[in-house]
Amino acid sequence: MNAATPPPGEAEAAELARLLPETDENEWQLPPGRHLHHKDVLMQQIDHDHDHHMDRSRARQAAPAPVAATPRRRLLRPAVLMPAAAALAAAGILLATLPSDDTDGVRDMGAGEGATANAAVTLDRIATASLKADTPRVKAGQFVYIRSLVQGNEGKLDGEVKLGAPYKQQMWMSQDPAPVTNIGMIRESGKGATMPGQDVPIEASAVDGSDDSGAIPEGPERPTYNWLASLPTDPDALLKKLYAETEPADERETKAQAVFNKIGDLLGQTVMPPENAAAFYKAVAKLPGVTEVPDAVDAAGRHGIGITLDESSYATRSEWIFDKKSFEYLGSRGYMTKNHKPGGKPGKAGNPEVLYGSDAVLERAVVDQKGMEPESAGERG
């Protein structure tokens, strides 16, 4: 490779950027904190392609020079509700947001306003049901296992949303309370998977462990069972802590939206003590703008009750789904609520919203090793 040739990966990125339409202030974008999972997957694929290219180049040389392991990008919240096009936005290609009606920038929306009456009643029932859940205790050396069904957008950047085929996702998250660089692993399979058949590490530093400067301790960005158990179980105290420690993604996101999204991440991707789960649901009932959706459907086709908060600054709406009888958490959905291209409409006439992604939590368990499936996997066949 001569000095005039760009490194592998950069040429492809430049070509993608050239082909993409120029951004407009009316183009939509998800909150930056929601991009992290697919950004990491995209970056790891670029790293993989770079390493593969270098391996082939060294094979043609008599005395190959050693190449240091490529550092992996930090992944803090492996969210799954993410259209495929937004992975490019996460990589810095598309960064425009919808204009906000909030002229004050970030507004600290006080917790005293509360959710609507219907949502508050439903959240109280969910909290009561969660106290009766048979939740296993998690030891420091174990991994929380989450098996989900995921469906995302495969449409073009400047075109209509086109949902891809649902695919299976398995995730293992380390419960070690000490700072770690090897946080966990994601495994996907199925037609719609981003990297089917591959175990994608969730890491905060170099793969070979040579650099531990990015090690992450247990806490808000790596919520272990032990850390969750340390949180206040009084909903007012918990909400005060969340407001103090949760930062909005940017100047357009309100505190209430940031806290709602943070709690949503925890509900879908962790195992926590029943008392703490109940406190989170009661805290959500105190957030302004939270409403109930009478009928919501997860990626597995299960109908339930939805709890939602409109993220008007990003032209999106997140929705959590709970079983109508047991009030167990089923999954979540994401909608676009405003135009995402000049002159375009998010949905058909009479339906101003369009679904851009959904997931369904099919199983939660605790296992002793990363990559290990719970015993119930044998029952699934």
Side-chain angles (χ1 to χ4, degrees):
M1 182 186 303
N2 55 47
T5 303
E10 290 188 9
E12 291 84 351
E15 179 64 12
L16 278 173
R18 185 184 69 79
L19 294 174
L20 291 172
E22 293 185 3
T23 58
D24 182 270
E25 66 177 0
N26 288 323
E27 289 181 311
W28 67 281
Q29 179 194 352
L30 294 177
R34 315 294 284 279
H35 292 285
L36 291 172
H37 165 52
H38 286 264
K39 177 181 179 180
D40 188 70
V41 170
L42 178 65
M43 292 298 102
Q44 290 190 50
Q45 183 61 55
I46 292 174
D47 292 340
H48 176 271
D49 293 343
H50 174 269
D51 294 342
H52 179 66
H53 178 90
M54 294 303 295
D55 289 341
R56 292 182 63 183
S57 298
R58 290 196 300 270
R60 294 193 295 264
Q61 299 175 3
V67 177
T70 306
R72 298 306 187 197
R73 279 71 178 174
R74 176 174 293 188
L75 171 61
L76 303 183
R77 289 194 290 168
V80 295
L81 285 185
M82 174 80 172
L88 295 176
I93 296 175
L94 179 64
L95 298 177
T97 58
L98 281 166
S100 173
D101 295 330
D102 178 11
T103 57
D104 298 328
V106 176
R107 290 183 293 133
D108 188 356
M109 300 172 71
E113 300 176 38
T116 62
N118 287 345
V121 170
T122 298
L123 284 163
D124 184 69
R125 291 175 177 173
I126 295 171
T128 299
S130 66
L131 288 171
K132 303 175 183 178
D134 185 17
T135 305
R137 291 186 59 84
V138 188
K139 299 177 182 178
Q142 294 181 308
F143 289 80
V144 165
Y145 170 86
I146 306 291
R147 180 171 63 91
S148 306
L149 194 65
V150 183
Q151 187 174 27
N153 177 29
E154 294 183 351
K156 296 181 180 180
L157 267 177
D158 60 344
E160 296 181 357
V161 171
K162 180 181 179 181
L163 287 178
Y167 61 91
K168 176 182 176 182
Q169 181 185 78
Q170 295 170 285
M171 183 168 61
W172 292 264
M173 298 302 290
S174 171
Q175 299 299 295
D176 191 337
V180 298
T181 58
N182 193 336
I183 300 170
M185 185 176 76
I186 292 176
R187 179 183 297 165
E188 296 179 349
S189 60
K191 184 178 179 181
T194 307
M195 299 177 67
Q198 298 187 43
D199 289 344
V200 181
I202 305 173
E203 295 181 316
S205 191
V207 173
D208 62 0
S210 59
D211 176 14
D212 63 356
S213 59
I216 304 175
E218 64 177 0
E221 301 302 342
R222 192 171 71 81
T224 63
Y225 180 94
N226 181 65
W227 176 77
L228 290 164
S230 72
L231 296 177
T233 55
D234 175 77
D236 290 314
L238 176 61
L239 193 58
K240 182 178 180 180
K241 182 177 179 64
L242 290 171
Y243 263 67
E245 298 182 0
T246 303
E247 291 297 326
D250 60 23
E251 70 278 1
R252 294 181 181 272
E253 186 175 45
T254 66
K255 275 281 190 177
Q257 290 171 346
V259 170
F260 184 86
N261 289 330
K262 168 60 74 175
I263 295 175
D265 290 344
L266 298 176
L267 296 178
Q269 300 169 6
T270 61
V271 169
M272 68 179 73
E275 296 81 4
N276 296 99
F280 274 114
Y281 291 125
K282 290 181 179 180
V284 173
K286 297 176 180 292
L287 291 174
V290 174
T291 59
E292 177 185 319
V293 179
D295 186 51
V297 187
D298 69 7
R302 299 176 298 187
H303 287 255
I305 302 173
I307 295 296
T308 188
L309 178 66
D310 185 20
E311 299 171 318
S312 57
S313 297
Y314 296 101
T316 59
R317 180 172 67 81
S318 300
E319 187 174 286
W320 311 336
I321 307 170
F322 300 86
D323 185 270
K324 293 182 179 181
K325 293 183 179 180
S326 68
F327 297 106
E328 178 183 4
Y329 180 91
L330 298 180
S332 60
R333 293 163 72 93
Y335 289 91
M336 288 188 345
T337 58
K338 295 181 182 178
N339 296 352
H340 67 287
K341 61 177 180 177
K345 295 181 179 180
K348 297 179 181 179
N351 180 20
E353 296 186 332
V354 61
L355 177 69
Y356 67 77
S358 64
D359 75 271
V361 175
L362 304 178
E363 184 175 17
R364 298 176 194 259
V366 180
V367 296
D368 293 330
Q369 297 178 17
K370 180 175 60 179
M372 175 186 292
E373 297 187 17
E375 295 181 358
S376 56
E379 300 174 3
R380 299 194 304 266

